[in-house]
Amino acid sequence: MNVLVIGSGGREHAIALAISKSKKLKKLYCAPGNPGTKNIAQNISLNISNHKDVVEFCKSNNINLVVIGPEQPLVDGLSDSLRENSILVFGPSSNAARIESSKSFAKEIMVNADVPTAAYQEFSADQFDDTINYLRESKYPIVLKADGLAAGKGVIICEDFPEAEKAVKDFFVNKIFGSSGDKIIIEEFLKGEEASVFAITDGEDFVCLSPAQDHKRIGDNDTGKNTGGMGAYAPAPLITEELQQKIEKGIIAPTLNELKRTGNEFIGCLYAGLMITESGPKVIEFNCRLGDPETQVVLPLIEGDFLELIYSAAKGKVDKNSIKYSGGCSVCVVASSAGYPDKYEKGFEINGLDLTDENIIIYHAGTIEKNGKILTNGGRVLGVTSVINSNDLITAKRIAYMAIEKISFKGMYYRKDISDKAFKFN
Ligand code: AMP
Ligand code: GLY
């Protein structure tokens, strides 16, 4: 099989690595890929926002499956363009991808499917006064969210009315999220611990990968600004077998059914961002793709053939027997550039990448190769990831941190507490 992976982050490096292990694979391409995917695939400099070019490339290279990593090309309809040209793709249509690109669409699906989520109200920019009046009467804390895509930054948790009033001005008047914030969702603040669940689906049937936990804030103990994700671990012991069943039956299945019923059949990975509250799991958000950095810890725990799994889903009948959980665990620590998630510098040489350890995978994200050297080229630079055979997260954490200490670049920063939240379950 010839496969094309779209994207250039740590998630796409992890997807390419998992696919590269398949016996079914003939040739693997990444567009654009990164210096990490270069070692396992052929990187192609395609302009992925030009769908015609991508279709052309697939036709002339006999691509049997396209795997789309990030949300933007999905929301832009790349899978629709590929399907119109009879090219098989793992990733939802742009209509189905609205589960991520429009929070009001996602809420409507959840309400109609009776899926537990935070109570909410919708407001648009022409309802400024109504919004302020509503917030004056609300209970705090409260959560304000831009309806559209905002690179994971469109959520503001407000502790009191003055904070909420300022946030509404930022959305509607200062337009800090552009048109993504012309409509907002105001929702109940949910208390609990978060987890990410990934369902690989053919639109109806699905298989869930190991549940994972992300670390969204920049600082230890979940302090400071939100980021794309500073580390992850899997499996998350917070999600017991009983809870997993509840999530599959009460959240994933009804959401997929409702998407299909409304003509928005979802083929790809449905990502449920959950809050495990006292009254059970509730959906914070859905994404239309695999998570980053959760993919980096979830895929190495698959025993079997990941390519067969996603190929079967893309073809319309997900092969549930193509994979199983290995019994191991994994911890990914993200090394970021000083200043991230705000302004940061790029172009620093990365040392220590020649590290070899059978329990370590160094995923590339914001890196670039220049004159034979690997340089920093983004906010999240690397994902240093341990994978071990036993389900001992304490050991997996120790191995990951031993490895990251051997890697360096100017201004390198990483959190020191990735996976600590799991230790209370020991
Ligand atoms: P999102 O971009 O929707 O994932 O939201 C970013 C972060 O905001 C989440 O990971 C949560 O930590 C927090 N968050 C979002 N919605 C809620 C909510 N209703 N209650 C509490 N925290 C929330
Ligand atoms: N890990 C968060 C995300 O992928 O959206």
Side-chain angles (χ1 to χ4, degrees), residues 189-232:
F189 178 81
L190 297 175
K191 255 203 223 123
E193 206 176 312
E194 290 178 60
S196 311
V197 167
F198 304 103
I200 305 296
T201 178
D202 56 24
E204 202 172 303
D205 213 355
F206 62 91
V207 180
C208 284
L209 306 179
S210 297
Q213 196 169 54
D214 187 10
H215 296 66
K216 286 214 167 95
R217 306 288 201 97
I218 188 72
D220 286 354
N221 301 314
D222 297 335
T223 52
K225 289 198 168 165
N226 254 333
T227 70
M230 294 302 293

Side-chain angles (χ1 to χ4, degrees), residues 12 52 100 111 113 135-136 150 162 164 173 223 241 245 317 320 341 348 389 418 426:
E12 287 74 29
K52 240 174 101 186
E100 173 164 1
V111 168
L135 286 167
R136 203 172 268 126
V173 184
T223 52
E241 190 50 45
Q245 293 307 320
K317 186 83 200 83
K320 291 181 163 186
F348 300 120
N389 290 329
I418 304 300
N426 274 351

Side-chain angles (χ1 to χ4, degrees), residues 57-74:
F57 175 85
C58 292
K59 283 187 172 165
S60 43
N61 291 279
N62 298 316
I63 297 296
N64 306 99
L65 179 69
V66 180
V67 185
I68 302 176
E71 62 276 17
Q72 196 65 57
L74 292 164

Side-chain angles (χ1 to χ4, degrees), residues 189-317:
F189 178 81
L190 297 175
K191 255 203 223 123
E193 206 176 312
E194 290 178 60
S196 311
V197 167
F198 304 103
I200 305 296
T201 178
D202 56 24
E204 202 172 303
D205 213 355
F206 62 91
V207 180
C208 284
L209 306 179
S210 297
Q213 196 169 54
D214 187 10
H215 296 66
K216 286 214 167 95
R217 306 288 201 97
I218 188 72
D220 286 354
N221 301 314
D222 297 335
T223 52
K225 289 198 168 165
N226 254 333
T227 70
M230 294 302 293
Y233 66 90
L238 169 71
I239 308 298
T240 57
E241 190 50 45
E242 191 193 341
L243 211 45
Q244 179 71 31
Q245 293 307 320
K246 215 169 168 176
I247 292 162
E248 292 188 14
K249 284 207 178 75
I251 292 175
I252 306 290
T255 302
L256 291 174
N257 287 341
E258 181 63 12
L259 282 164
K260 189 167 179 171
R261 193 189 68 79
T262 52
N264 300 292
E265 188 183 41
F266 188 103
I267 299 164
C269 173
L270 180 68
Y271 164 154
L274 304 170
M275 188 70 87
I276 311 305
T277 71
E278 263 178 8
S279 57
K282 292 190 178 177
V283 177
I284 294 182
E285 61 165 352
F286 278 120
N287 292 319
C288 62
R289 48 162 177 95
L290 281 151
D292 189 341
E294 295 98 316
T295 304
Q296 289 86 313
V297 290
V298 164
L299 296 192
L301 302 181
I302 287 178
E303 210 163 75
D305 194 321
F306 179 63
L307 176 56
E308 231 176 278
L309 175 74
I310 56 177
Y311 181 73
S312 62
K315 279 198 82 145
K317 186 83 200 83

